């Protein structure tokens, strides 16, 4: 109970900047009154309470679980099981991601307006669905590559910089309209639940394998999961 | 009543988002690992708290923050229309850049995935990396990124040049960065743009692009998220470079102090 009170206090501190920024711009810059102050207050209480509960659940449930599962995999030392788990985690969390569904629909609209595909509902829907599949596959493969990197202890910067070079080269060949969407997609595919799980998995793996350091090898899964969609959407835009 | 309906709907959609993940975890746990989980009760209640907390968080955001944030974004971007200037001057939008930086910073501080990664980084590094330092560094990066992204929309310059230059800067910083901070810095690009930041920033981008003559909301409205994901990598790398230089300076005794 005491821990939860502390978390509520933390959550209030975390949200204070938003309240200050919105109040400042609303009152000083736009010089307008606050619409329905009561609703806003109730909403704010929900946000604070929700954040406190989320963080509490994260530390008591999600983190220990992610680490326990990583340790179990490290002990079992079945590479196929671990890699298929990594793929499913990446694919499964991405395919149903609401932000991805929204961005795929927008991409289809932009590409149709530019005349790259026929501007019909069925064509656009098929394009968006395929795009989602492509991105989910790419995130799944990225997590697999990331896990292999942790196992082998490959240096991350070589891989990330190669990915940057690939993105840069592809940008010159991809259709102009898709570039913005592709770049944005990297940020939206990793959701609130996926990030803690991936982090716990990576750090858990790195701490249970001999010779790996949780800081040097444990982090980085999210970075892979962010770059892969950019590359795959650019390629998809060139082919489809 | 309306509030309760919203809460129930938010709960339902969070549950739907989490269900496939939990299902997959259970399948792997039961069929592949076949091992008893330690502290099963605590983990289950933790997952329940995550779902309840996230639903409350989202319903609160939708009730309290998003409507105001979105209205403000549209009002700020539209307020310059009155000038009916033929040419778009980038200085006319200084207030928008300031708002972009402030709201980018503020929403990033409240971003749950970033809090998660920062907590994990603090514990994994044995306290060498402070969760607050990391969060502040990331938030500064997002602030600069979103602000510059708005400048790009106003001037209509191509997105790829900014991003490619940002990539080159990251590559140069990588040469000098310590190996312990690198993976965390790369990760911080992806964790910043989530539940809180994306809707507000997207509204800002779309508002700007649709209000400025000659910009298309569909094509120019995108890109702010990309800025918000690349710049934190730079700011976290800079933060680590600065703090390690400061630490070094602290250890070497200064002559003037005698």
């Amino acid at each position: 109970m005491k821990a939860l009170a502390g978390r509520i206090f933390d959550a209030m501190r975390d949200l204070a900047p938003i309240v200050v920024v919105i109040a400042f711009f609303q009152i000083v810059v736009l010089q307008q009154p606050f619409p329905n102050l009561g609703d806003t207050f109730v909403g704010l209480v929900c946000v604070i309470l929700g954040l406190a509960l989320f963080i509490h659940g994260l530390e008591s449930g999600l983190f220990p679980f992610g680490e326990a599962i990583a340790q179990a995999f490290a002990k079992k030392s079945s590479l196929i099981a671990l890699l298929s788990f990594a793929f499913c985690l990446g694919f499964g969390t991405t395919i149903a991601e609401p932000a991805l569904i929204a961005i795929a629909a927008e991409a289809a609209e932009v590409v149709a307006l530019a005349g790259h595909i026929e501007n019909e509902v069925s064509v656009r829907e098929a394009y968006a669905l395929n795009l989602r599949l492509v991105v989910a596959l790419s995130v799944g493969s990225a997590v697999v590559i990331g896990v292999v990197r942790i196992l082998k202890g490959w240096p991350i910067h070589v891989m990330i910089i190669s990915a940057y070079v690939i993105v840069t080269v592809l940008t010159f060949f991809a259709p102009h309209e898709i570039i913005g969407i592709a770049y944005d997609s990297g940020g939206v595919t990793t959701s609130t639940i996926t990030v803690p799980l991936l982090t716990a998995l990576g750090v858990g793996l790195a701490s249970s394998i001999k010779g790996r350091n949780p800081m040097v090898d444990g982090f980085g899964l999210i970075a892979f999961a962010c770059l892969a969609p950019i590359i795959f959407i650019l390629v998809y835009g060139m082919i489809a | 009543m309306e509030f309760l309906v919203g809460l129930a709907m938010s709960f339902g959609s969070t549950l739907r988002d989490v269900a496939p993940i939990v299902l997959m975890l259970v399948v792997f746990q039961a069929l592949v690992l076949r091992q008893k989980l330690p502290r099963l009760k605590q983990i289950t209640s933790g997952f329940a708290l995550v779902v309840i907390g996230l639903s409350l968080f989202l319903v609160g955001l939708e009730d309290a923050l998003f409507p105001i944030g979105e209205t403000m974004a549209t009002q700020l971007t539209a307020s310059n229309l009155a000038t009916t200037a033929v040419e778009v001057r980038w200085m006319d939008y200084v207030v928008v850049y300031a708002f972009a930086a402030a709201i980018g910073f503020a929403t990033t501080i409240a971003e749950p995935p970033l809090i998660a990664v920062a907590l994990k980084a603090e514990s994994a590094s044995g306290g060498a990396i402070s969760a607050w330092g990391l969060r502040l560094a990331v938030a500064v990066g997002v602030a600069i990124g979103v602000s510059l992204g708005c400048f790009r929309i106003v001037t209509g310059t191509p997105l790829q040049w900014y991003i490619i230059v940002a990539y080159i800067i990251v590559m140069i910083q990588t040469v000098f960065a310590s190996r312990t901070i690198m993976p965390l810095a790369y990760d911080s690009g992806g964790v910043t743009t989530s539940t809180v930041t994306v809707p507000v920033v997207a509204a800002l981008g779309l508002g700007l692009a649709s209000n400025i003559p000659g910009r298309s909301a569909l094509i120019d409205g995108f890109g702010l998220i990309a800025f918000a994901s690349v710049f934190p990598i730079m700011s976290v790398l800079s933060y680590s470079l600065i703090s390690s230089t400061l630490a070094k300076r602290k250890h070497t005794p200064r002559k003037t102090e005698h």
Side-chain angles (χ1 to χ4, degrees):
Chain A
M1 213 55 225
K2 206 178 166 192
L4 197 63
R7 297 212 191 280
I8 291 176
F9 177 76
D10 283 350
M12 284 162 88
R13 194 191 49 194
D14 294 338
L15 283 154
I18 299 191
V19 176
V20 171
V21 168
I22 288 188
F24 174 80
F25 275 88
Q26 187 80 353
I27 296 165
V28 179
V29 181
L30 289 167
Q31 293 176 345
Q32 269 168 17
F34 269 96
N36 19 345
L37 209 55
D39 278 3
T40 309
F41 184 75
V42 173
L44 208 57
V45 171
C46 283
V47 172
I48 290 169
L49 215 61
L51 188 59
L53 290 176
F54 175 80
I55 301 291
H56 194 69
L58 209 63
E59 298 232 55
S60 64
L62 228 59
F63 276 162
F65 181 75
E67 262 159 47
I69 224 167
Q71 271 159 13
F73 272 119
K75 227 186 275 165
K76 210 170 188 300
S77 67
S78 155
L79 188 64
I80 296 173
L82 173 59
L83 293 187
S84 49
F85 175 76
F87 181 84
C88 289
L89 192 60
F91 184 89
T93 54
T94 310
I95 193 77
E97 174 66 39
L100 176 63
I101 296 174
I103 216 169
E106 275 162 4
E109 207 175 315
V110 171
V111 173
L113 277 179
H116 292 296
I117 57 169
E118 271 178 73
N119 201 352
E120 274 171 45
V121 177
S122 60
V123 178
R124 283 206 311 261
E125 272 174 5
Y127 185 91
L129 183 65
N130 285 332
L131 188 64
R132 268 171 65 198
L133 277 173
V134 167
V135 172
L137 281 173
S138 75
V139 175
S141 332
V143 178
V144 169
I145 295 172
V147 166
V148 172
R149 178 194 81 88
I150 295 174
L151 300 178
K152 299 272 180 196
W154 289 336
I156 191 170
H157 55 279
V158 178
M159 304 176 78
I160 296 287
I161 288 176
S162 321
Y164 282 171
V165 173
I166 294 172
V167 170
T168 308
V169 171
L170 286 175
T171 300
F172 288 102
F173 299 102
H176 176 68
E177 300 78 18
I178 203 101
I179 292 172
I181 293 168
Y183 285 180
D184 271 5
S185 73
V188 296
T189 46
T190 42
S191 78
T192 316
I193 307 275
T194 323
V195 165
L197 267 179
L198 282 179
T199 311
L201 178 71
V203 173
L205 273 177
S207 13
S208 36
I209 298 171
K210 237 188 171 172
R212 296 285 168 272
N213 174 312
M215 282 310 290
V216 177
D217 305 294
F219 289 91
L221 285 179
I222 300 163
F224 285 111
C226 288
L227 275 168
I230 305 184
I231 296 175
F232 277 72
I233 292 185
L234 287 175
V235 172
Y236 184 76
M238 283 154 64
I239 300 168
Chain B
M1 193 58 218
E2 204 178 303
F3 171 75
L4 286 177
V5 173
L7 189 62
M9 274 171 67
S10 166
F11 187 68
S13 70
T14 311
L15 215 53
R16 203 187 51 213
D17 292 347
V18 177
I21 305 174
V22 170
L23 190 73
M24 199 200 81
L25 295 174
V26 169
V27 166
F28 267 88
Q29 180 65 32
L31 298 181
V32 183
L33 291 171
R34 275 178 290 186
Q35 209 172 49
K36 240 193 131 205
L37 268 179
R39 291 174 293 168
L40 184 65
K41 229 178 175 174
Q42 187 198 332
I43 287 175
T44 322
S45 65
F47 266 89
L49 279 183
V50 163
V51 173
I52 297 169
L54 201 56
S55 327
L56 266 175
F57 186 71
L58 291 176
V59 86
L61 281 183
E62 265 155 42
D63 267 20
L65 288 175
F66 292 160
I68 301 184
E70 279 161 24
T71 324
M72 282 175 84
T74 2
Q75 281 174 343
L76 280 170
T77 50
S79 56
N80 292 79
L81 264 189
T83 57
T84 58
V86 186
E87 238 176 282
V88 181
R89 288 180 309 164
W90 68 270
M91 299 95 80
D92 295 341
Y93 291 86
V94 171
V95 179
V96 176
Y97 310 144
F99 176 71
I103 202 79
F105 180 91
T107 52
T108 305
I109 290 291
E111 203 63 88
L114 177 61
I115 302 177
V117 169
L119 288 173
K120 200 84 216 166
E122 191 171 77
S123 69
S125 68
I129 289 165
S130 95
W132 262 105
L134 182 70
R135 284 169 66 193
L136 285 175
V138 172
V140 168
V142 174
I144 298 171
V146 177
S147 190
L148 195 64
C150 287
F151 171 79
R152 181 200 78 84
I153 293 178
V154 170
T155 54
T157 30
L159 169 68
Q160 55 266 42
W161 296 119
Y162 289 85
I163 300 296
I164 291 171
V165 168
Y167 280 173
I168 293 172
I169 296 174
V170 170
M171 289 180 198
I172 296 169
Q173 283 181 309
T174 298
V175 178
F176 300 100
S178 87
R179 279 195 63 191
T180 45
I181 195 81
M182 244 185 251
L184 189 61
Y186 294 143
D187 268 3
S188 59
V191 297
T192 50
T193 45
S194 197
T195 344
V196 199
T197 317
V198 170
V200 177
V201 164
L204 192 61
L206 291 177
L208 256 184
S210 48
N211 279 321
I212 293 175
R215 303 281 174 277
S216 132
L218 269 178
I219 292 173
D220 300 296
F222 289 100
L224 282 185
I225 314 279
F227 275 88
S229 353
V230 180
F231 276 73
I233 306 183
M234 268 189 242
S235 62
V236 172
L237 287 174
S238 312
Y239 164 72
S240 99
L241 284 175
I242 293 167
S243 56
S244 68
T245 334
L246 285 181
K248 255 184 222 156
R249 203 173 284 171
K250 231 186 220 168
H251 286 300
T252 47
R254 265 176 286 175
K255 284 172 194 166
T256 46
E257 271 174 4
H258 286 283

